[in-house]
Amino acid sequence: MQKKMVLGGLIGAAAFCLVLNPVIDKNYFMNINYSYFGPTGTFVAMVVGEVVAVIYYNWVRFHFFENSDKVPDFIVDWLNNIAPIFLILLFGYILIGVLGVDIVDVLSTIFSPISAISNTYIGFVLLILIPTILYSLGISSWAFGAVSNPIYFANIAANIAAVEAGGKALSIATSEATFTAALITLGGMGCTLVLVIMAALKGKSKKMKAMGRICLVPSIFNINEPVVYGFPIVFNPILMVPFWLCSIVGASIEYFVMKLGWLNIPSKMIQVGQIPAPFSSIMITEDMRAIIWWVVLLIVYWLIYWPFFKAYDKECLKQEAIEETGE
């Protein structure tokens, strides 16, 4: 199985290079648009990988030739390795070399509305809210990365290019603005740092005090798995609501603050999400005003979480009283 995984990855890489429609010049050198090996080609690579995986998986699943007593085992292995490679590359050659289909252009046309919507207020909020909701249901926010990452990469690439050309960064929907700056993800998805501080300082139940102290250091570095699964927030109707609300409100404030020019839009690719705010906020935006908005958002998140924290703390106290009395 490990060999098949490696082979599948190599087939995917070969199919991706084929999709980029390489051109052989008169000196027999192969020329490829190498920009597609960066953020621009991320989504194309993902689609090609999915197609290759489906074809290769189904070929392996049907066990062609494996039940034949007349064919030696090494021939069976050879056929089952070479056949899917031949089919995938032949399909790609016919589609691109014979029919002249530009896969990159087709995919860009199909998904360009998604990228455009991402830089609107609604699109930006949805890019934050959807993975937050999934996270509160126990599904890692990384699962949504298949949709959001290509958009984020393309947008930050556009910002970098614009600044290098002497213009301004215009795309707010980037991983840097969402995660690395840690204004929308203060403590992690759902802005849980304030919840942890409340639990550590204001918690009356033993559970809340303990969890607040345990989760404080990870939360400062924007690692909130202990909070999400430990408090828990997952499938907890009391804490799920502020978890969602902070994502909506935080994304809204950051969007309009950057749109109005009150905070710089990120124009450098930095994919490190564990730098504590406001240091990360200043570093990513290259703007000292980030400290002001960090304070504002910290207060806003505190106000949102406070009533829900008090309600959940009371529930924990009641549960602990029941466990102590045995009633």
Side-chain angles (χ1 to χ4, degrees):
M1 182 57 69
Q2 185 66 31
K3 291 182 179 179
K4 294 185 185 301
M5 291 170 61
V6 173
L7 184 59
L10 292 174
I11 299 171
F16 177 62
C17 290
L18 182 62
V19 164
L20 298 184
N21 197 15
V23 177
I24 308 296
D25 62 20
K26 62 181 181 180
N27 295 318
Y28 302 102
F29 286 108
M30 184 174 69
N31 297 307
I32 295 178
N33 186 346
Y34 289 100
S35 68
Y36 289 120
F37 287 95
T40 308
T42 303
F43 192 80
V44 177
M46 288 171 56
V47 172
V48 171
E50 289 290 338
V51 173
V52 169
V54 168
I55 295 174
Y56 191 58
Y57 170 77
N58 282 288
W59 179 272
V60 172
R61 188 166 65 91
F62 284 113
H63 304 287
F64 290 108
F65 309 115
E66 290 186 8
N67 295 323
S68 175
D69 296 329
K70 298 179 181 180
V71 182
D73 290 342
F74 76 93
I75 297 295
V76 171
D77 289 339
W78 182 82
L79 287 172
N80 281 330
N81 286 331
I82 202 69
I85 298 174
F86 175 77
L87 289 173
I88 291 167
L89 296 182
L90 177 63
F91 174 70
Y93 173 74
I94 292 172
L95 196 64
I96 299 161
V98 177
L99 300 178
V101 178
D102 189 334
I103 302 296
V104 175
D105 185 59
V106 170
L107 291 175
S108 298
T109 302
I110 292 172
F111 292 98
S112 58
I114 298 177
S115 181
I117 292 172
S118 71
N119 285 308
T120 65
Y121 167 66
I122 297 297
F124 183 65
V125 171
L126 288 176
L127 282 172
I128 311 302
L129 180 60
I130 292 172
T132 303
I133 292 174
L134 292 175
Y135 203 10
S136 69
L137 297 176
I139 303 171
S140 174
S141 58
W142 289 100
F144 191 66
V147 176
S148 61
N149 284 343
I151 295 172
Y152 288 151
F153 289 151
N155 284 344
I156 193 63
N159 287 349
I160 293 170
V163 172
E164 287 180 349
K168 294 183 178 180
L170 299 175
S171 298
I172 299 173
T174 64
S175 179
E176 285 69 21
T178 303
F179 297 105
T180 316
L183 293 174
I184 305 176
T185 53
L186 191 58
M189 274 283 183
C191 318
T192 53
L193 179 60
V194 292
L195 176 62
V196 172
I197 295 172
M198 287 176 189
L201 300 179
K202 301 291 184 178
K204 294 182 179 179
S205 66
K206 294 178 181 178
K207 175 183 176 180
M208 294 298 276
K209 285 182 179 179
M211 289 305 302
R213 292 166 183 170
I214 291 170
C215 298
L216 184 58
V217 173
S219 291
I220 291 173
F221 292 93
N222 305 316
I223 300 171
N224 70 345
E225 281 80 3
V227 183
V228 173
Y229 298 105
F231 267 66
I233 291 174
V234 172
F235 291 114
N236 183 338
I238 298 176
L239 295 181
M240 285 169 71
V241 174
F243 194 68
W244 300 344
L245 286 176
C246 282
S247 295
I248 297 172
V249 174
S252 300
I253 292 174
E254 181 174 285
Y255 180 85
F256 288 111
V257 163
M258 288 186 173
K259 197 74 174 176
L260 293 170
W262 296 345
L263 185 65
N264 291 344
I265 297 173
S267 58
K268 291 183 178 179
M269 181 179 284
I270 302 176
Q271 299 286 313
V272 181
Q274 279 66 56
I275 302 173
F279 304 108
S280 60
S281 313
I282 299 169
M283 179 182 71
I284 295 302
T285 61
E286 298 179 295
D287 191 340
M288 292 301 294
R289 291 176 296 179
I291 297 177
I292 297 172
W293 295 111
W294 171 73
V295 173
V296 169
L297 286 167
L298 192 68
I299 295 170
V300 170
Y301 297 149
W302 186 282
L303 295 174
I304 291 173
Y305 265 108
W306 181 251
F308 297 94
F309 160 73
K310 294 292 289 182
Y312 187 58
D313 195 29
K314 287 181 180 179
E315 288 292 324
C316 291
L317 278 172
K318 289 179 182 178
Q319 185 62 37
E320 289 171 1
I322 291 172
E323 291 174 356
E324 288 176 0
T325 58
E327 296 179 0

